[in-house]
Amino acid sequence: SGINAEYGDVGTYDKKIYADQVWRLEPSAKKPWCYYIVNDYHPTYRLADSKHKFIVYNGPRYDDQLFRFSPVGDGYYYIYSCYYKKDRIAKYGAGNGQVTMYSGPRYEDQKWKLVPKSDVQIVG
């Protein structure tokens, strides 16, 4: 997950799954269908769409940290920002850090699969 600092970056990793790479959804009390994506190991860290940039943030809760999930079939979802309503989380390349917020056409690299924690083998 590559978490660091208050405005830390985040990425993907396709090998073993470590405890700090598991994220959970916390529903928003004020925005129906919107969720905070919270790191399970570091519970003060949340994903955010900060001025159209994909980051991890561990300060106060703001609306740019809320996301909604739009099903596309076979257990996959587009993950939209609830603040910048057209922004979606996208994986635009093979590199671990090649994740961004994107508001253009929909592509396969924007589909994410939600997997229950109980279905994941966590190491370390």
Side-chain angles (χ1 to χ4, degrees):
S1 61
I3 298 173
N4 51 18
E6 181 174 314
Y7 293 97
D9 59 349
V10 64
T12 60
Y13 184 69
D14 63 0
K15 308 290 185 227
K16 296 177 181 176
I17 299 173
Y18 295 91
D20 69 347
Q21 297 170 319
V22 177
W23 299 81
R24 69 175 185 270
L25 305 179
E26 289 183 4
S28 167
K30 61 182 181 173
K31 293 200 177 247
W33 306 106
C34 292
Y35 297 84
Y36 294 99
I37 303 176
V38 179
N39 188 276
D40 203 48
Y41 190 79
H42 301 283
T44 61
Y45 289 87
R46 295 170 305 281
L47 298 184
D49 182 357
S50 178
K51 300 177 184 169
H52 308 286
K53 294 189 186 321
F54 184 67
I55 67 162
V56 170
Y57 183 72
N58 71 345
R61 291 183 181 231
Y62 297 110
D63 286 351
D64 66 355
Q65 300 164 25
L66 292 170
F67 295 88
R68 66 181 176 82
F69 296 79
S70 179
V72 292
D74 293 329
Y76 286 87
Y77 296 82
Y78 290 122
I79 304 175
Y80 283 91
S81 169
C82 290
Y83 189 74
Y84 299 107
K85 299 193 183 302
K86 293 182 180 181
D87 281 7
R88 293 177 303 283
I89 300 175
K91 173 79 175 136
Y92 62 89
N96 291 344
Q98 291 182 301
V99 183
T100 191
M101 299 306 301
Y102 181 75
S103 62
R106 291 177 187 86
Y107 296 109
E108 290 295 312
D109 65 0
Q110 299 161 21
K111 295 179 181 179
W112 298 89
K113 186 161 195 151
L114 301 183
V115 179
K117 183 178 177 181
S118 59
D119 291 355
V120 176
Q121 183 176 354
I122 299 170
V123 297

